[in-house]
Amino acid sequence: MTTDSWLGGAAAIATLTFDVDAESPVLAAGAHYAEHLMTMTHQSYGPDVGVPRVLDMLDELGVPATFFIPGWVAQARPGLAASVVERGHEVAHHSYAHRAPTSMSEQEEREDFARAMAVFARQGIEIQGHRAALWGSRWQTPELVAEHGLRYDSSLMADDRPYRIGTARGELAELPVHWSLDDWEQYAFLPEPHIGSVIESPVKALELWRAELDGMRHYGCLFNLCCHPFLSGRPGRIMALRRLVEYALECGDVTFMRCRDLAAAVLADPALTARPLPEPPSYP
Amino acid sequence: MTTDSWLGGAAAIATLTFDVDAESPVLAAGAHYAEHLMTMTHQSYGPDVGVPRVLDMLDELGVPATFFIPGWVAQARPGLAASVVERGHEVAHHSYAHRAPTSMSEQEEREDFARAMAVFARQGIEIQGHRAALWGSRWQTPELVAEHGLRYDSSLMADDRPYRIGTARGELAELPVHWSLDDWEQYAFLPEPHIGSVIESPVKALELWRAELDGMRHYGCLFNLCCHPFLSGRPGRIMALRRLVEYALECGDVTFMRCRDLAAAVLADPALTARPLPEPPSYP
Amino acid sequence: MTTDSWLGGAAAIATLTFDVDAESPVLAAGAHYAEHLMTMTHQSYGPDVGVPRVLDMLDELGVPATFFIPGWVAQARPGLAASVVERGHEVAHHSYAHRAPTSMSEQEEREDFARAMAVFARQGIEIQGHRAALWGSRWQTPELVAEHGLRYDSSLMADDRPYRIGTARGELAELPVHWSLDDWEQYAFLPEPHIGSVIESPVKALELWRAELDGMRHYGCLFNLCCHPFLSGRPGRIMALRRLVEYALECGDVTFMRCRDLAAAVLADPALTARPLPEPPSYP
Amino acid sequence: MTTDSWLGGAAAIATLTFDVDAESPVLAAGAHYAEHLMTMTHQSYGPDVGVPRVLDMLDELGVPATFFIPGWVAQARPGLAASVVERGHEVAHHSYAHRAPTSMSEQEEREDFARAMAVFARQGIEIQGHRAALWGSRWQTPELVAEHGLRYDSSLMADDRPYRIGTARGELAELPVHWSLDDWEQYAFLPEPHIGSVIESPVKALELWRAELDGMRHYGCLFNLCCHPFLSGRPGRIMALRRLVEYALECGDVTFMRCRDLAAAVLADPALTARPLPEPPSYP
């Protein structure tokens, strides 16, 4: 491994990412949920209580992070994105209305994408990367990301190491995600709309993520953790997340990066070659 | 932190709450379940076996608690609410028929609310607080609670510390709840009506709640635990609950309170300002 | 506590019960599953592999057990019930076709009940007790059990100690069950028909049941464990069950009984009074 | 136990099997998922990242394995099956399109079966065994397997030790599977199509499988572990799988075999007698 590798000499790279969805996933499931007061407060806890608590924790630990914010959320809470950038973290694109591209027409996806870009432009927030709502990318999504001049995407699962995607509108770094590195599967519970059924102990989530981190240190991977402030911002969970970061720091061979900085390293890594996406598979 | 803070010098406040739903959630899901003998006995275990066992445990540990009882349950078991008050605990409003406000018209909600108030009035039980059935509050619910002269609500999730809600009919203390501090998600199982699919070990529930309590002691929060006697009244589970309370007492920095006493402290805390509820969010 | 108490001086009574359902629950969900070879072998494992293994384990540990067998299963495997009785254990009634009484008309329930009685009569198997398929008793079921001259039922959940039910056709001992003392919720998995979604480790099931046993020793209860040979007969699970029984034996204050022997003690206990079933609850 | 027993003197036999399904189970659930880029990458991770990692691990541990590959997958990735055989492992039949026999007509099943055989014949891959997609065998499936000259099937659950099935077209060894020895139930998560809801920690999966292995060493069984490279190929999980194999090797009484080698031992074991499949059960 050379020093110009995306790993930069580390055993694994860690990107802490926070999807600040607020009410948008619930309202995308049904606009009438706006009338459900408890449900709305369940979601507003994320930006209002979780995000400040996460920002403080990151300060205390001295690690950077990336916040994926739907444009609608940034618009409804005008100071939110700036409060993240001011603390040295990155804000990235997470759709406008938190609807999956696979649930929209190509035209709807294009309009939703541009609308979020416009919100951030008005707020003076520079955007370099994108994560699809619900990770629900269509085959055309990466090209759309490149078309807007972004450098990376973080929605796909073809590897557990970053890779490069060639599109007709330019090249992207892909920083892959996975269900097992998402706090939603461990913590989300809401009967209506149904977003999950099991509430795991933070002890279990920590055990799972630490096992994955150790495996990724063995194999030289990207530990791309996806957390949601309305879930991981709660007291017992953020303490577990803090312990996870402390463990990674103690390992001494894990580097924490903002996604944009990792993407730059990936795009500059001479060992990685951009490949165009294959055709969708043909099935009998 | 001043001594007139709602925390009163403690690291965290703990409110033990017991929702004594009896048969009502099952019958709300379908009146024909009244004919299902096993299902009815599954639910009647709560008031008949669970509540006396919980009351004895509270006596032994010397901690107060709050019992949220649907009016229909209090009416069907005339001595139930009094048996709670006699032991020094609080009885609070938990709807009449355990139907969520979000599933009722405003007029139905108003009638259901008043009907429960009338039951408790006839039984000489003074009511100061409310918890919506299924925590299913609508935007109008807090005002209805204030209109009846109650001091607090305990159904929302906008924070993990108490807050104050201003309504057109007066101010309320909100003592927020959360799915992770509810025994239903850990223990409830019934195939028809389906109320849950996983039965966790009490060891896991204790681990989860202890992690949350420790986090809340770190952040100065309200540990508002919601238990159901038909679930947590079972032998292995009440032993775990006892160990949780013993742990909290050993910490030395957790104060146990009835909800009404906490609500009074919240309403008297000069650092908390009542805010009107925001408008329901507008979503494209 | 006097020596003529049903507890007989023990801290808790343990009844090991095995529901030998074989293919019947799957076929009750859809007769076409008879064509699904894998599914049928999944179920036949119970009587063919699980039951002999359970019988050997019970011999080695020297504890008695009760086997609830649907009449259809006993009929299709003529030597099955006798093989249980020959080893000193009890066979009891578990419907004919493993359909819940709540899913049948009263006439269908009566015919199903009698048909199972006839199978056992032809096989010379004496029956003293009953457990409803899926524990799905209707309000009329206990009277039907008494009408056939049986002494006990084991399908209800009004308590975690035995109780006595008065019916128009005589008195029954009720040996209550509970979801948390059933191996189905811990181990059952089958996508079609869907019978469960989570496969827990035997370590977790052992932890759960041991916690409940310890709680029941504290409160003087009936540890009425319900296992299914197609689930708990598997190697890792039967080893955990063996450890549970060994633990209970080491406690020194737990008595293992056949259900019929416990039922006799319950019916002779002067401290227990038979109460008629209440009316089904009336709900608005 | 004689030395010509299928156990060959071991306490248990272990067959590590990997079902390389790639995109096929998702496309079988809906051809339109081909347009879902994230979903397709979630699946392609299996052959592209998981399989090479598994092959390396097997080399390092020095144990053989069997890879069940749908014909469609082998066809779409021409070098895949050969890469497995070159490392000394076995490739076996896993349908063409990963549709369950129970969801096809007999004619469709026959064509699907033959189509997969033709793919492997063209690739020069010799096939000796079969595993039904989704383990969804019909009553006619074993005869079809025998008709094509294969020696074994691995889809049924009538025992946890191998057995012999007599069919009109010859005899098969059955190497039984079980849900509890499948990584799908522990790890699979995908909301659309829904393939699972819970992501367990590798620590829990290891605990479960080790408990089953220990039980199988006690009872003399076949530990037939079914893993999927898109699931168990992930870093934390493959480390747990490695520890499981290391544990089994340390036991000193577990023999690892390819399925074909075990099948040959089963068919040569004089203590095992082939029995024809019984009739499908008749149910009222």
Side-chain angles (χ1 to χ4, degrees):
Chain A
M1 185 178 302
T2 58
T3 52
D4 54 0
S5 150
W6 64 273
L7 275 165
I13 301 295
T15 44
L16 298 178
T17 71
F18 297 91
D19 290 6
V20 191
D21 300 337
E23 301 86 354
S24 63
V26 166
L27 294 174
H32 64 288
Y33 292 120
E35 301 297 330
H36 290 209
L37 181 56
M38 175 271 286
T39 310
M40 290 298 103
T41 60
H42 181 249
Q43 300 302 125
S44 70
Y45 178 99
D48 297 346
V49 177
V51 168
R53 198 172 277 169
V54 167
L55 289 171
D56 287 348
M57 183 195 71
L58 295 170
D59 270 359
E60 291 165 30
L61 294 169
V63 294
T66 304
F67 291 71
F68 292 90
I69 309 182
W72 177 81
V73 175
Q75 188 175 31
R77 289 170 167 85
L80 177 67
S83 77
V84 167
V85 172
E86 283 161 12
R87 304 283 272 267
H89 306 291
E90 176 184 1
V91 167
H93 189 297
H94 192 40
S95 83
Y96 178 77
H98 209 273
R99 291 194 181 97
T102 52
S103 71
M104 292 190 279
S105 71
E106 186 165 351
Q107 185 56 27
E108 288 169 338
E109 183 188 7
R110 296 184 69 82
E111 289 172 7
D112 179 272
F113 198 102
R115 197 169 178 188
M117 289 301 289
V119 170
F120 291 117
R122 282 195 300 273
Q123 298 191 349
I125 306 290
E126 185 224 357
I127 300 294
Q128 293 197 7
H130 166 263
R131 174 173 287 167
L134 304 172
W135 301 339
S137 294
R138 299 189 308 137
W139 230 267
Q140 298 82 351
T141 305
E143 185 174 325
L144 177 60
V145 176
E147 180 184 328
H148 279 270
L150 306 194
R151 310 289 306 280
Y152 73 91
D153 176 78
S154 182
S155 320
L156 304 179
M157 304 191 184
D159 206 331
D160 42 33
R161 292 155 297 201
Y163 53 99
R164 288 159 71 171
I165 300 174
T167 83
R169 306 297 291 252
E171 192 178 328
L172 292 175
E174 175 62 39
L175 309 182
V177 291
H178 193 254
W179 308 107
S180 63
L181 291 175
D182 183 10
D183 64 352
W184 196 285
E185 289 69 33
Q186 305 303 315
Y187 295 142
F189 184 96
L190 200 60
E192 192 194 352
H194 176 79
I195 67 169
S197 310
V198 177
I199 299 179
E200 299 286 12
S201 160
V203 175
K204 186 256 181 163
L206 179 58
E207 176 188 282
L208 166 67
W209 293 335
R210 185 171 156 163
E212 194 70 4
L213 176 62
D214 283 339
M216 289 183 143
R217 292 168 56 225
H218 181 84
Y219 284 107
C221 302
L222 168 61
F223 184 81
N224 187 15
L225 188 68
C226 177
C227 290
H228 298 77
F230 83 99
L231 297 170
S232 283
R234 294 201 57 89
R237 294 167 183 169
I238 199 165
M239 298 297 273
L241 182 56
R242 176 191 296 262
R243 282 193 293 276
L244 178 71
V245 175
E246 288 170 345
Y247 170 73
L249 293 171
E250 288 161 13
C251 287
D253 55 8
V254 178
T255 302
F256 284 83
M257 300 180 82
R258 296 185 303 178
C259 287
R260 62 171 59 196
D261 302 321
L262 175 58
V266 167
L267 293 171
D269 185 338
L272 298 180
T273 313
R275 291 165 301 179
L277 289 178
E279 294 288 307
S282 169
Y283 180 76
Chain B
M1 185 178 304
T2 58
T3 52
D4 55 358
S5 152
W6 65 274
L7 276 166
I13 300 294
T15 44
L16 298 178
T17 70
F18 296 91
D19 290 6
V20 191
D21 300 336
E23 300 87 354
S24 63
V26 166
L27 295 174
H32 64 289
Y33 291 120
E35 302 296 331
H36 291 212
L37 181 55
M38 175 272 285
T39 310
M40 290 299 101
T41 61
H42 180 249
Q43 301 302 125
S44 69
Y45 177 98
D48 297 346
V49 178
V51 168
R53 199 173 275 169
V54 166
L55 289 171
D56 287 349
M57 184 194 71
L58 295 170
D59 270 0
E60 291 165 31
L61 295 170
V63 293
T66 305
F67 290 73
F68 291 90
I69 308 182
W72 178 81
V73 174
Q75 188 176 31
R77 289 170 167 85
L80 178 66
S83 77
V84 166
V85 173
E86 283 160 11
R87 304 284 272 266
H89 306 291
E90 176 183 1
V91 168
H93 188 297
H94 192 39
S95 83
Y96 178 77
H98 209 272
R99 292 194 181 97
T102 53
S103 71
M104 293 191 278
S105 71
E106 186 165 351
Q107 185 57 25
E108 288 169 339
E109 183 188 7
R110 296 184 68 81
E111 289 172 8
D112 179 273
F113 199 101
R115 196 170 177 187
M117 289 301 289
V119 169
F120 291 117
R122 283 197 299 274
Q123 297 191 350
I125 306 289
E126 184 224 358
I127 299 294
Q128 292 197 8
H130 166 264
R131 174 172 288 167
L134 303 172
W135 301 338
S137 294
R138 299 189 308 138
W139 230 268
Q140 298 81 353
T141 305
E143 184 174 327
L144 178 60
V145 176
E147 179 184 328
H148 280 270
L150 306 193
R151 310 290 305 282
Y152 74 90
D153 177 76
S154 182
S155 320
L156 303 179
M157 305 190 184
D159 206 331
D160 42 33
R161 292 154 298 200
Y163 54 100
R164 288 158 73 169
I165 299 174
T167 83
R169 307 298 291 253
E171 191 179 329
L172 291 176
E174 176 61 39
L175 310 182
V177 292
H178 193 255
W179 308 107
S180 64
L181 291 176
D182 183 11
D183 64 353
W184 195 285
E185 290 68 33
Q186 305 303 316
Y187 295 142
F189 184 95
L190 199 60
E192 193 193 353
H194 175 78
I195 67 168
S197 309
V198 177
I199 300 179
E200 299 286 13
S201 160
V203 175
K204 185 257 182 163
L206 179 57
E207 177 187 284
L208 166 66
W209 294 335
R210 185 170 156 164
E212 194 69 5
L213 177 63
D214 283 340
M216 289 183 142
R217 291 169 58 225
H218 181 85
Y219 284 107
C221 302
L222 168 61
F223 184 81
N224 188 15
L225 188 68
C226 177
C227 289
H228 297 77
F230 84 99
L231 297 170
S232 283
R234 294 202 58 89
R237 295 167 182 169
I238 199 166
M239 298 297 273
L241 182 56
R242 176 193 296 262
R243 282 193 292 277
L244 178 70
V245 174
E246 287 170 346
Y247 170 73
L249 293 172
E250 288 161 13
C251 288
D253 55 9
V254 178
T255 302
F256 284 82
M257 299 179 84
R258 296 185 301 178
C259 288
R260 62 171 60 195
D261 301 322
L262 175 59
V266 167
L267 293 172
D269 184 338
L272 299 180
T273 313
R275 290 165 302 178
L277 289 177
E279 293 289 307
S282 169
Y283 181 75
Chain C
M1 185 179 304
T2 58
T3 53
D4 54 0
S5 150
W6 65 273
L7 276 166
I13 301 293
T15 45
L16 298 177
T17 70
F18 296 91
D19 290 5
V20 191
D21 300 336
E23 300 88 353
S24 62
V26 166
L27 296 174
H32 65 287
Y33 291 120
E35 301 297 331
H36 290 210
L37 180 56
M38 175 272 285
T39 310
M40 290 298 103
T41 61
H42 181 249
Q43 300 303 125
S44 69
Y45 178 98
D48 297 346
V49 177
V51 167
R53 199 172 276 169
V54 167
L55 289 172
D56 286 350
M57 184 195 70
L58 295 171
D59 270 0
E60 291 165 31
L61 294 170
V63 293
T66 304
F67 290 72
F68 291 89
I69 308 182
W72 178 81
V73 175
Q75 187 175 31
R77 289 171 167 85
L80 178 66
S83 78
V84 167
V85 172
E86 283 161 11
R87 303 285 272 267
H89 306 292
E90 176 183 2
V91 168
H93 189 297
H94 192 40
S95 83
Y96 179 77
H98 209 273
R99 292 194 181 98
T102 52
S103 71
M104 293 191 277
S105 70
E106 186 164 352
Q107 184 57 26
E108 287 169 339
E109 183 188 7
R110 296 185 68 83
E111 288 172 8
D112 179 273
F113 199 101
R115 198 170 176 187
M117 289 301 289
V119 170
F120 291 118
R122 282 195 300 273
Q123 297 190 353
I125 305 292
E126 185 224 357
I127 300 294
Q128 293 197 7
H130 166 263
R131 174 173 288 167
L134 303 172
W135 301 339
S137 294
R138 299 191 305 139
W139 230 268
Q140 299 80 353
T141 305
E143 183 173 327
L144 177 60
V145 176
E147 178 184 329
H148 278 271
L150 306 193
R151 309 290 305 284
Y152 73 89
D153 177 77
S154 182
S155 318
L156 304 180
M157 305 190 182
D159 205 332
D160 42 34
R161 293 155 296 201
Y163 53 100
R164 288 159 73 171
I165 300 175
T167 82
R169 307 297 292 252
E171 192 179 326
L172 291 176
E174 176 61 40
L175 309 182
V177 292
H178 193 255
W179 306 107
S180 63
L181 291 176
D182 183 10
D183 63 354
W184 195 285
E185 289 69 31
Q186 304 303 316
Y187 295 143
F189 184 94
L190 199 60
E192 193 193 352
H194 176 78
I195 67 169
S197 309
V198 177
I199 299 179
E200 299 285 13
S201 160
V203 175
K204 185 257 183 162
L206 180 57
E207 177 187 283
L208 166 66
W209 294 334
R210 185 171 156 164
E212 194 69 6
L213 177 62
D214 283 339
M216 289 183 142
R217 291 169 58 225
H218 181 85
Y219 284 107
C221 302
L222 168 61
F223 184 81
N224 187 16
L225 188 68
C226 177
C227 289
H228 297 77
F230 84 98
L231 296 170
S232 283
R234 294 202 57 90
R237 294 166 184 170
I238 199 165
M239 298 297 273
L241 182 55
R242 176 192 297 262
R243 282 194 291 277
L244 177 70
V245 174
E246 287 170 347
Y247 170 73
L249 293 172
E250 286 161 14
C251 287
D253 55 8
V254 178
T255 302
F256 285 83
M257 299 180 84
R258 296 185 301 178
C259 287
R260 63 170 60 196
D261 301 321
L262 175 58
V266 167
L267 293 172
D269 185 337
L272 299 180
T273 312
R275 290 165 303 177
L277 289 176
E279 293 289 306
S282 168
Y283 181 76
Chain D
M1 185 178 302
T2 59
T3 52
D4 54 0
S5 150
W6 65 273
L7 276 166
I13 300 295
T15 45
L16 297 178
T17 71
F18 297 92
D19 290 6
V20 190
D21 300 336
E23 301 88 353
S24 63
V26 166
L27 295 173
H32 65 287
Y33 291 120
E35 301 296 331
H36 291 211
L37 181 56
M38 175 271 285
T39 311
M40 290 298 102
T41 60
H42 181 250
Q43 300 303 125
S44 69
Y45 178 98
D48 297 347
V49 178
V51 167
R53 198 172 277 169
V54 167
L55 289 171
D56 287 349
M57 184 195 71
L58 294 171
D59 270 0
E60 291 165 31
L61 294 170
V63 293
T66 304
F67 290 72
F68 291 89
I69 309 182
W72 178 80
V73 175
Q75 189 176 31
R77 289 171 168 84
L80 178 66
S83 78
V84 167
V85 172
E86 283 160 10
R87 304 284 271 268
H89 306 291
E90 176 183 1
V91 167
H93 189 296
H94 193 41
S95 83
Y96 178 77
H98 209 273
R99 292 194 181 97
T102 52
S103 70
M104 293 190 277
S105 71
E106 187 164 351
Q107 185 56 27
E108 288 169 338
E109 183 188 8
R110 296 185 69 81
E111 289 173 7
D112 179 272
F113 199 102
R115 197 169 177 187
M117 290 301 288
V119 170
F120 291 118
R122 283 197 298 274
Q123 298 191 350
I125 305 290
E126 185 224 357
I127 300 294
Q128 292 197 6
H130 166 264
R131 174 173 289 167
L134 303 173
W135 301 340
S137 295
R138 300 190 307 139
W139 229 268
Q140 298 82 351
T141 305
E143 184 173 326
L144 178 60
V145 176
E147 179 184 327
H148 279 271
L150 306 192
R151 309 291 304 282
Y152 74 89
D153 176 78
S154 181
S155 318
L156 305 180
M157 304 190 183
D159 206 331
D160 43 33
R161 293 154 297 201
Y163 53 99
R164 288 158 73 170
I165 300 175
T167 82
R169 306 298 292 254
E171 192 179 327
L172 292 175
E174 176 62 39
L175 309 181
V177 292
H178 192 255
W179 307 108
S180 63
L181 291 176
D182 184 10
D183 64 352
W184 196 285
E185 289 70 31
Q186 304 303 315
Y187 295 143
F189 185 95
L190 200 60
E192 193 193 354
H194 176 79
I195 68 170
S197 311
V198 177
I199 300 180
E200 299 285 13
S201 161
V203 176
K204 185 258 181 162
L206 179 58
E207 176 188 283
L208 166 66
W209 294 334
R210 184 171 157 164
E212 193 70 5
L213 177 63
D214 283 340
M216 289 184 142
R217 291 168 58 226
H218 181 85
Y219 285 107
C221 303
L222 168 61
F223 184 81
N224 187 17
L225 188 68
C226 177
C227 289
H228 297 76
F230 84 98
L231 296 171
S232 283
R234 294 201 58 89
R237 295 167 183 170
I238 198 165
M239 298 296 273
L241 182 56
R242 176 192 296 262
R243 282 195 292 275
L244 177 71
V245 175
E246 287 170 347
Y247 170 73
L249 293 171
E250 287 161 13
C251 287
D253 55 9
V254 178
T255 301
F256 284 83
M257 300 179 82
R258 296 185 301 178
C259 287
R260 62 170 60 197
D261 301 321
L262 175 58
V266 166
L267 293 171
D269 185 338
L272 298 180
T273 312
R275 289 164 303 177
L277 289 178
E279 293 289 307
S282 169
Y283 180 77

